[in-house]
Amino acid sequence: MPPLTKAEVIVRREGSVGRISLDRPKALHALTQSMCEAISAALLAWRGDPAIEAVLLDHAAGRGFCAGGDVAAVRRSALEDGGAAGRAFFHAEYRMNHLLFAYPKPVAAFMDGVTMGGGVGLALPCRWRVATENTLFAMPEGAIGLFPDVGAGWYLPRLAKQTGGRIGQFLALTGARLDGAECLWAGLATHYLPSDTLAEAKARIAAEPAHAEAILSELSAEPPPARLAGNADRIARLFASDRLEEVIAALAADPSDWAAKELKAVTAKCPASAKVALRQFASPQPDFAAEMAREYRLAARLIMRPDFAEGVRAVLIDKDNAPRWNPASPEDVTEAMVEAIFAPLPEGEEWVPFPA
Ligand code: QUE
């Protein structure tokens, strides 16, 4: 009898590499809990296996690397079971993120298409992060009342200083979409390859994983100019404040068309989410596990706020893109509200990583 549900992740060995391919094409490979668990199980099985030297992470059929997570299911959980299933999803996803971060063997991620939210969490811990002409990268959670999770609070504040140090805040507050060239410029990607060379890159790495670095360099192409680089100074200046009201005021005071467009993007997002993101990025955690434990608190709290159900409704269910946030304006999101979202969870409910 065939299985009732498809696995949605293809796991196999090829020579001395482990291969993991996301296979949920109808949802642009957005992650479900069982996909996270299958990925973690494969990584755990290979972690101490001397026959596996490296891991390749990509998507199987269709477009998109990974569009995020199954937030429609998380929304149903928030409305129907007190958020228990939603928390279980984030617990499994963040364990997978942490496992990749601490993984003792090199992993290559092929960001050949939409790479948002959960897809960013898969790619950023990897030693090699390959962008292509199809890469479309974003942390869009502010549009659904969430926050930049999956380790974004670790990676984004640490991006190269060449970017002016505020690219993370810019990405979080605007949900801006970066192309492959911009990902390379910002340090989000390590290589830029034409997508028609990816099959060759994977086959050659599988044959000679010790030469992965040289193979990726050899197949790399000159990316087009990174448009974002032209706005780096503006981003550093206008996103300099950790106070949302000040960022909005700075954008409003700038005469450029660019600032006007980004002002619209910032003010369309969930105000509570934006304040959570700014506070998160202003206080980087000492280690990655601590960051994931903090993010789990934030996720557990934010999925139960009405803004999350409303944001998913507006973006993914009704698709009217007209969320009604509550509070609707930044001034009404108080310090005490943000503080409460960061508070520790009750004993026994905190996130814990896989044992080392
Ligand atoms: C903001 C988000 C997400 C989003 C759109 C936003 C997000 C997410 C998805 C998504 C997209 C396609 C799917 C799916 C989920 O879209 O987190 O299951 O098929 O996962 O504006 O944060």
PDB file of all heavy atoms in Angstrom, residues 177-199:
ATOM      1  N   ARG A 177      13.011  42.325  -0.247  1.00  0.00           N
ATOM      2  CA  ARG A 177      13.428  41.130  -0.973  1.00  0.00           C
ATOM      3  C   ARG A 177      14.756  41.388  -1.652  1.00  0.00           C
ATOM      4  O   ARG A 177      14.881  42.354  -2.415  1.00  0.00           O
ATOM      5  CB  ARG A 177      12.368  40.768  -2.021  1.00  0.00           C
ATOM      6  CG  ARG A 177      11.113  40.315  -1.362  1.00  0.00           C
ATOM      7  CD  ARG A 177       9.905  40.341  -2.258  1.00  0.00           C
ATOM      8  NE  ARG A 177       8.784  39.852  -1.468  1.00  0.00           N
ATOM      9  CZ  ARG A 177       7.879  38.984  -1.913  1.00  0.00           C
ATOM     10  NH1 ARG A 177       7.933  38.548  -3.154  1.00  0.00           N
ATOM     11  NH2 ARG A 177       6.924  38.572  -1.122  1.00  0.00           N
ATOM     12  N   LEU A 178      15.725  40.522  -1.372  1.00  0.00           N
ATOM     13  CA  LEU A 178      17.048  40.660  -1.976  1.00  0.00           C
ATOM     14  C   LEU A 178      17.211  39.634  -3.082  1.00  0.00           C
ATOM     15  O   LEU A 178      16.741  38.496  -2.954  1.00  0.00           O
ATOM     16  CB  LEU A 178      18.141  40.434  -0.915  1.00  0.00           C
ATOM     17  CG  LEU A 178      18.610  41.646  -0.105  1.00  0.00           C
ATOM     18  CD1 LEU A 178      17.465  42.442   0.458  1.00  0.00           C
ATOM     19  CD2 LEU A 178      19.572  41.222   0.993  1.00  0.00           C
ATOM     20  N   ASP A 179      17.894  40.018  -4.141  1.00  0.00           N
ATOM     21  CA  ASP A 179      18.219  39.031  -5.178  1.00  0.00           C
ATOM     22  C   ASP A 179      19.561  38.377  -4.848  1.00  0.00           C
ATOM     23  O   ASP A 179      20.194  38.693  -3.833  1.00  0.00           O
ATOM     24  CB  ASP A 179      18.171  39.669  -6.577  1.00  0.00           C
ATOM     25  CG  ASP A 179      19.239  40.734  -6.776  1.00  0.00           C
ATOM     26  OD1 ASP A 179      20.248  40.741  -6.043  1.00  0.00           O
ATOM     27  OD2 ASP A 179      19.069  41.580  -7.694  1.00  0.00           O
ATOM     28  N   GLY A 180      19.973  37.465  -5.714  1.00  0.00           N
ATOM     29  CA  GLY A 180      21.184  36.688  -5.430  1.00  0.00           C
ATOM     30  C   GLY A 180      22.420  37.560  -5.318  1.00  0.00           C
ATOM     31  O   GLY A 180      23.276  37.339  -4.449  1.00  0.00           O
ATOM     32  N   ALA A 181      22.534  38.556  -6.187  1.00  0.00           N
ATOM     33  CA  ALA A 181      23.702  39.444  -6.152  1.00  0.00           C
ATOM     34  C   ALA A 181      23.728  40.229  -4.841  1.00  0.00           C
ATOM     35  O   ALA A 181      24.798  40.424  -4.242  1.00  0.00           O
ATOM     36  CB  ALA A 181      23.658  40.404  -7.350  1.00  0.00           C
ATOM     37  N   GLU A 182      22.563  40.660  -4.394  1.00  0.00           N
ATOM     38  CA  GLU A 182      22.490  41.402  -3.135  1.00  0.00           C
ATOM     39  C   GLU A 182      22.814  40.507  -1.944  1.00  0.00           C
ATOM     40  O   GLU A 182      23.447  40.949  -0.978  1.00  0.00           O
ATOM     41  CB  GLU A 182      21.107  42.041  -2.988  1.00  0.00           C
ATOM     42  CG  GLU A 182      20.893  43.150  -4.022  1.00  0.00           C
ATOM     43  CD  GLU A 182      19.466  43.665  -4.058  1.00  0.00           C
ATOM     44  OE1 GLU A 182      18.514  42.857  -3.981  1.00  0.00           O
ATOM     45  OE2 GLU A 182      19.290  44.893  -4.186  1.00  0.00           O
ATOM     46  N   CYS A 183      22.391  39.247  -2.011  1.00  0.00           N
ATOM     47  CA  CYS A 183      22.728  38.296  -0.940  1.00  0.00           C
ATOM     48  C   CYS A 183      24.236  38.109  -0.843  1.00  0.00           C
ATOM     49  O   CYS A 183      24.798  38.042   0.247  1.00  0.00           O
ATOM     50  CB  CYS A 183      22.056  36.944  -1.178  1.00  0.00           C
ATOM     51  SG  CYS A 183      20.286  36.953  -0.851  1.00  0.00           S
ATOM     52  N   LEU A 184      24.898  38.017  -1.990  1.00  0.00           N
ATOM     53  CA  LEU A 184      26.357  37.851  -2.002  1.00  0.00           C
ATOM     54  C   LEU A 184      27.019  39.104  -1.417  1.00  0.00           C
ATOM     55  O   LEU A 184      27.915  39.025  -0.578  1.00  0.00           O
ATOM     56  CB  LEU A 184      26.844  37.599  -3.427  1.00  0.00           C
ATOM     57  CG  LEU A 184      28.309  37.199  -3.554  1.00  0.00           C
ATOM     58  CD1 LEU A 184      28.535  35.790  -3.012  1.00  0.00           C
ATOM     59  CD2 LEU A 184      28.781  37.284  -5.005  1.00  0.00           C
ATOM     60  N   TRP A 185      26.561  40.263  -1.850  1.00  0.00           N
ATOM     61  CA  TRP A 185      27.124  41.525  -1.364  1.00  0.00           C
ATOM     62  C   TRP A 185      26.982  41.632   0.160  1.00  0.00           C
ATOM     63  O   TRP A 185      27.912  42.057   0.860  1.00  0.00           O
ATOM     64  CB  TRP A 185      26.432  42.700  -2.058  1.00  0.00           C
ATOM     65  CG  TRP A 185      26.808  44.016  -1.456  1.00  0.00           C
ATOM     66  CD1 TRP A 185      27.962  44.714  -1.667  1.00  0.00           C
ATOM     67  CD2 TRP A 185      26.056  44.752  -0.486  1.00  0.00           C
ATOM     68  NE1 TRP A 185      27.978  45.842  -0.903  1.00  0.00           N
ATOM     69  CE2 TRP A 185      26.818  45.897  -0.169  1.00  0.00           C
ATOM     70  CE3 TRP A 185      24.820  44.567   0.124  1.00  0.00           C
ATOM     71  CZ2 TRP A 185      26.373  46.854   0.743  1.00  0.00           C
ATOM     72  CZ3 TRP A 185      24.385  45.518   1.042  1.00  0.00           C
ATOM     73  CH2 TRP A 185      25.155  46.644   1.336  1.00  0.00           C
ATOM     74  N   ALA A 186      25.806  41.242   0.674  1.00  0.00           N
ATOM     75  CA  ALA A 186      25.538  41.404   2.107  1.00  0.00           C
ATOM     76  C   ALA A 186      26.205  40.331   2.959  1.00  0.00           C
ATOM     77  O   ALA A 186      26.180  40.419   4.187  1.00  0.00           O
ATOM     78  CB  ALA A 186      24.023  41.392   2.357  1.00  0.00           C
ATOM     79  N   GLY A 187      26.760  39.299   2.331  1.00  0.00           N
ATOM     80  CA  GLY A 187      27.358  38.214   3.102  1.00  0.00           C
ATOM     81  C   GLY A 187      26.354  37.143   3.496  1.00  0.00           C
ATOM     82  O   GLY A 187      26.672  36.237   4.266  1.00  0.00           O
ATOM     83  N   LEU A 188      25.136  37.258   2.990  1.00  0.00           N
ATOM     84  CA  LEU A 188      24.131  36.224   3.265  1.00  0.00           C
ATOM     85  C   LEU A 188      24.430  34.972   2.453  1.00  0.00           C
ATOM     86  O   LEU A 188      24.156  33.856   2.887  1.00  0.00           O
ATOM     87  CB  LEU A 188      22.725  36.761   2.938  1.00  0.00           C
ATOM     88  CG  LEU A 188      22.283  37.922   3.829  1.00  0.00           C
ATOM     89  CD1 LEU A 188      21.170  38.733   3.178  1.00  0.00           C
ATOM     90  CD2 LEU A 188      21.830  37.396   5.194  1.00  0.00           C
ATOM     91  N   ALA A 189      24.964  35.156   1.245  1.00  0.00           N
ATOM     92  CA  ALA A 189      25.423  34.042   0.407  1.00  0.00           C
ATOM     93  C   ALA A 189      26.946  34.070   0.365  1.00  0.00           C
ATOM     94  O   ALA A 189      27.567  35.129   0.528  1.00  0.00           O
ATOM     95  CB  ALA A 189      24.857  34.172  -1.008  1.00  0.00           C
ATOM     96  N   THR A 190      27.537  32.883   0.135  1.00  0.00           N
ATOM     97  CA  THR A 190      29.005  32.815  -0.003  1.00  0.00           C
ATOM     98  C   THR A 190      29.437  32.686  -1.459  1.00  0.00           C
ATOM     99  O   THR A 190      30.595  32.950  -1.785  1.00  0.00           O
ATOM    100  CB  THR A 190      29.571  31.608   0.764  1.00  0.00           C
ATOM    101  OG1 THR A 190      28.968  30.408   0.247  1.00  0.00           O
ATOM    102  CG2 THR A 190      29.291  31.721   2.254  1.00  0.00           C
ATOM    103  N   HIS A 191      28.536  32.237  -2.334  1.00  0.00           N
ATOM    104  CA  HIS A 191      28.864  32.042  -3.750  1.00  0.00           C
ATOM    105  C   HIS A 191      27.668  32.437  -4.613  1.00  0.00           C
ATOM    106  O   HIS A 191      26.526  32.372  -4.159  1.00  0.00           O
ATOM    107  CB  HIS A 191      29.209  30.568  -4.045  1.00  0.00           C
ATOM    108  CG  HIS A 191      30.464  30.112  -3.355  1.00  0.00           C
ATOM    109  ND1 HIS A 191      30.473  29.721  -2.031  1.00  0.00           N
ATOM    110  CD2 HIS A 191      31.748  29.994  -3.793  1.00  0.00           C
ATOM    111  CE1 HIS A 191      31.706  29.384  -1.683  1.00  0.00           C
ATOM    112  NE2 HIS A 191      32.504  29.540  -2.732  1.00  0.00           N
ATOM    113  N   TYR A 192      27.954  32.810  -5.841  1.00  0.00           N
ATOM    114  CA  TYR A 192      26.905  33.116  -6.815  1.00  0.00           C
ATOM    115  C   TYR A 192      27.158  32.247  -8.037  1.00  0.00           C
ATOM    116  O   TYR A 192      28.190  32.404  -8.719  1.00  0.00           O
ATOM    117  CB  TYR A 192      26.950  34.603  -7.195  1.00  0.00           C
ATOM    118  CG  TYR A 192      25.846  35.037  -8.140  1.00  0.00           C
ATOM    119  CD1 TYR A 192      24.636  35.520  -7.642  1.00  0.00           C
ATOM    120  CD2 TYR A 192      26.014  34.955  -9.522  1.00  0.00           C
ATOM    121  CE1 TYR A 192      23.623  35.921  -8.506  1.00  0.00           C
ATOM    122  CE2 TYR A 192      25.003  35.353 -10.387  1.00  0.00           C
ATOM    123  CZ  TYR A 192      23.808  35.838  -9.865  1.00  0.00           C
ATOM    124  OH  TYR A 192      22.808  36.230 -10.713  1.00  0.00           O
ATOM    125  N   LEU A 193      26.252  31.318  -8.304  1.00  0.00           N
ATOM    126  CA  LEU A 193      26.406  30.407  -9.444  1.00  0.00           C
ATOM    127  C   LEU A 193      25.213  30.547 -10.378  1.00  0.00           C
ATOM    128  O   LEU A 193      24.074  30.675  -9.904  1.00  0.00           O
ATOM    129  CB  LEU A 193      26.478  28.942  -8.962  1.00  0.00           C
ATOM    130  CG  LEU A 193      27.867  28.348  -8.665  1.00  0.00           C
ATOM    131  CD1 LEU A 193      28.560  29.083  -7.527  1.00  0.00           C
ATOM    132  CD2 LEU A 193      27.734  26.859  -8.334  1.00  0.00           C
ATOM    133  N   PRO A 194      25.438  30.493 -11.678  1.00  0.00           N
ATOM    134  CA  PRO A 194      24.296  30.415 -12.594  1.00  0.00           C
ATOM    135  C   PRO A 194      23.534  29.123 -12.311  1.00  0.00           C
ATOM    136  O   PRO A 194      24.150  28.072 -12.086  1.00  0.00           O
ATOM    137  CB  PRO A 194      24.951  30.362 -13.981  1.00  0.00           C
ATOM    138  CG  PRO A 194      26.364  30.811 -13.783  1.00  0.00           C
ATOM    139  CD  PRO A 194      26.737  30.450 -12.388  1.00  0.00           C
ATOM    140  N   SER A 195      22.199  29.181 -12.294  1.00  0.00           N
ATOM    141  CA  SER A 195      21.435  27.998 -11.889  1.00  0.00           C
ATOM    142  C   SER A 195      21.706  26.812 -12.810  1.00  0.00           C
ATOM    143  O   SER A 195      21.587  25.662 -12.384  1.00  0.00           O
ATOM    144  CB  SER A 195      19.941  28.316 -11.848  1.00  0.00           C
ATOM    145  OG  SER A 195      19.471  28.673 -13.125  1.00  0.00           O
ATOM    146  N   ASP A 196      22.102  27.084 -14.064  1.00  0.00           N
ATOM    147  CA  ASP A 196      22.335  25.932 -14.956  1.00  0.00           C
ATOM    148  C   ASP A 196      23.654  25.215 -14.674  1.00  0.00           C
ATOM    149  O   ASP A 196      23.974  24.231 -15.334  1.00  0.00           O
ATOM    150  CB  ASP A 196      22.198  26.326 -16.437  1.00  0.00           C
ATOM    151  CG  ASP A 196      23.227  27.342 -16.882  1.00  0.00           C
ATOM    152  OD1 ASP A 196      24.166  27.627 -16.102  1.00  0.00           O
ATOM    153  OD2 ASP A 196      23.101  27.856 -18.012  1.00  0.00           O
ATOM    154  N   THR A 197      24.397  25.687 -13.664  1.00  0.00           N
ATOM    155  CA  THR A 197      25.600  24.944 -13.256  1.00  0.00           C
ATOM    156  C   THR A 197      25.379  24.161 -11.952  1.00  0.00           C
ATOM    157  O   THR A 197      26.300  23.477 -11.486  1.00  0.00           O
ATOM    158  CB  THR A 197      26.807  25.889 -13.036  1.00  0.00           C
ATOM    159  OG1 THR A 197      26.525  26.743 -11.919  1.00  0.00           O
ATOM    160  CG2 THR A 197      27.090  26.731 -14.259  1.00  0.00           C
ATOM    161  N   LEU A 198      24.209  24.274 -11.348  1.00  0.00           N
ATOM    162  CA  LEU A 198      24.015  23.666 -10.022  1.00  0.00           C
ATOM    163  C   LEU A 198      24.097  22.149 -10.071  1.00  0.00           C
ATOM    164  O   LEU A 198      24.675  21.517  -9.171  1.00  0.00           O
ATOM    165  CB  LEU A 198      22.676  24.091  -9.416  1.00  0.00           C
ATOM    166  CG  LEU A 198      22.538  25.568  -9.040  1.00  0.00           C
ATOM    167  CD1 LEU A 198      21.198  25.808  -8.342  1.00  0.00           C
ATOM    168  CD2 LEU A 198      23.684  26.032  -8.150  1.00  0.00           C
ATOM    169  N   ALA A 199      23.527  21.538 -11.115  1.00  0.00           N
ATOM    170  CA  ALA A 199      23.563  20.069 -11.197  1.00  0.00           C
ATOM    171  C   ALA A 199      25.010  19.591 -11.251  1.00  0.00           C
ATOM    172  O   ALA A 199      25.388  18.629 -10.560  1.00  0.00           O
ATOM    173  CB  ALA A 199      22.770  19.590 -12.416  1.00  0.00           C
TER     174      ALA A 199
END
